[in-house]
Amino acid sequence: MLGMFGMSETCKKKHMRPKQRHIDSFLATVHQGSILGASNALGLSQPAVSRTLAELEEMLGVRLIERQRRGVSLTPEGEVFLRYANACVAALDKGVRAVSMSGSERRRVINVGVLPNVAALLLPGAVNELKQAQPDILVRIITGTNRLLSDELRRGDLDFMVGRLAAPEDLSSLDFDPFYDEDLVLVVRRGHPLLMHGGKNLSQFPLMMPLKGTIIRQDAERLLLTLGLSDPENAIETLSVEFGRTYVSISDVMWMTPRGTVAHDLESGEVIALPLPTIATYGTVGITSQKGARLSQHAQFLVTKIKEQAGRYQKK
């Protein structure tokens, strides 16, 4: 209870902020799997690590770690705290790297994560405008799956990422700024046999799909159900736009992919979109960034240009 001199010691501890030693002890214990392993990694005694963990739990008012004979396990509250502790360390590491760089280096590097559906559609024009305005800026374009890029963004290895909205479990400590909704298309080459039969007998032709485990694959599987097709075990799986464009041009494969991936080929007539049900699966495209992070002036300029490209695409 409150005494004449203010808050009790327990209340004071609950209002204290964890220090670096608390975060280090917590992460070392989780990563090493035991307090003994953490003490060896940190060069501290076991009692010191245990005491620091107890202080952290008392500050937060929850138990983070369950001590077991063969190590430790995280409580649900510990799982939540782990995500933010990792993000905290990643942000600090990024800050250390940033201040260790020269002023000119800090100003001229932008790291952008890009998903395949926007790599050719939104980025080239935006980057071109940036380079015309600031030719000395170094732009790194990093491609990968949504989950991989989300992890790199949380670690501070990316300034932002562009593509479809990630799964809810991959959005912790991240913000999403939506641009537009994008549907999936099922495309074939010009002159494909299906085009002469009104898009019927789909099951007779091979299928090319996004990789299993990706958000876009889940959408593709739902779309297959609306077409009365099962998920084929012998499908070709890829996230490579270059492979997909080439393979669809030389074979009778049907390629299920986000519209943005083949937008230019659809305009030129190199590929044709087969008619799909009106309840086709849509996903939201936008920019994902670290929650509360401030982009550099040049990174913000690039974001603005990407948004302008997205606006032009929507109007087509």
Side-chain angles (χ1 to χ4, degrees):
M1 71 185 279
L2 292 177
M4 63 181 296
F5 297 107
M7 291 189 294
S8 67
E9 288 302 313
T10 300
C11 289
K12 286 180 181 178
K13 286 184 178 180
K14 286 185 177 181
H15 285 77
M16 291 172 61
R17 289 185 178 274
K19 295 181 172 59
Q20 188 64 43
R21 61 186 178 87
H22 296 113
I23 304 297
D24 290 343
S25 293
F26 173 74
L27 290 177
T29 300
V30 173
H31 295 158
Q32 298 296 325
S34 68
I35 293 177
L36 174 60
S39 67
N40 291 333
L42 295 172
L44 301 172
S45 66
Q46 288 189 62
V49 174
S50 295
R51 186 166 56 251
T52 303
L53 291 174
E55 289 177 4
L56 177 60
E57 291 177 327
E58 189 173 358
M59 287 179 197
L60 300 176
V62 295
R63 183 172 290 278
L64 301 174
I65 292 175
E66 296 289 355
R67 284 75 166 172
Q68 301 169 341
R69 293 185 62 182
R70 294 188 176 183
V72 298
S73 63
L74 287 173
T75 65
E77 293 80 6
E79 294 281 1
V80 172
F81 188 74
L82 176 62
R83 293 200 299 269
Y84 288 96
N86 281 328
C88 174
V89 172
L92 183 60
D93 288 344
K94 184 178 180 181
V96 170
R97 291 197 300 271
V99 299
S100 65
M101 297 167 65
S102 68
S104 59
E105 288 177 314
R106 284 198 301 274
R107 287 193 298 270
R108 61 182 297 270
V109 180
I110 305 174
N111 297 296
V112 185
V114 183
L115 292 174
N117 61 311
V118 297
L121 189 64
L122 303 183
L123 264 293
V127 172
N128 185 48
E129 290 192 58
L130 170 68
K131 295 296 287 184
Q132 287 181 350
Q134 299 288 341
D136 63 328
I137 299 296
L138 171 61
V139 182
R140 297 191 180 108
I141 305 296
I142 297 95
T143 58
T145 64
N146 213 320
R147 176 161 295 177
L148 176 64
L149 294 179
S150 296
D151 288 342
E152 292 189 11
L153 181 59
R154 259 188 297 273
R155 289 197 301 267
D157 296 331
L158 300 176
D159 291 288
F160 60 89
M161 59 180 281
V162 192
R164 280 199 168 203
L165 176 65
E169 60 268 23
D170 294 328
L171 281 174
S172 63
S173 72
L174 301 178
D175 281 328
F176 182 76
D177 182 12
F179 293 162
Y180 56 82
D181 290 333
E182 175 188 53
D183 61 332
L184 291 178
V185 291
L186 187 63
V187 300
V188 295
R189 63 174 172 81
R190 185 167 45 192
H192 192 284
L194 274 171
L195 300 176
M196 295 180 286
H197 299 90
K200 298 179 180 179
N201 303 319
L202 298 181
S203 60
Q204 297 180 10
F205 295 91
L207 190 63
M208 185 158 56
M209 305 259 292
L211 294 177
K212 276 189 178 295
T214 60
I215 289 290
I216 196 66
R217 177 56 178 262
Q218 297 173 21
D219 292 342
E221 290 172 356
R222 285 195 291 270
L223 183 52
L224 280 180
L225 292 176
T226 69
L227 295 172
L229 300 174
S230 59
D231 188 0
E233 294 183 357
N234 64 341
I236 300 165
E237 299 183 355
T238 183
L239 291 180
S240 170
V241 177
E242 293 80 4
F243 173 82
R245 294 179 69 220
T246 300
Y247 191 73
V248 79
S249 70
I250 65 172
S251 71
D252 285 342
V253 73
M254 302 180 297
W255 185 15
M256 188 170 288
T257 185
R259 183 175 294 274
T261 303
V262 290
H264 297 311
D265 293 329
L266 286 169
E267 288 182 7
S268 67
E270 290 300 313
V271 298
I272 309 297
L274 297 175
L276 295 178
T278 56
I279 54 173
T281 302
Y282 283 81
T284 304
V285 174
I287 283 184
T288 306
S289 57
Q290 281 193 5
K291 193 180 294 290
R294 296 183 61 181
L295 296 178
S296 69
Q297 177 183 354
H298 300 306
Q300 187 58 58
F301 180 90
L302 181 56
V303 167
T304 299
K305 295 305 175 183
I306 293 172
K307 288 183 177 180
E308 291 175 1
Q309 292 290 326
R312 293 170 190 151
Y313 172 63
Q314 280 184 286
K315 293 176 182 178
K316 290 184 178 181

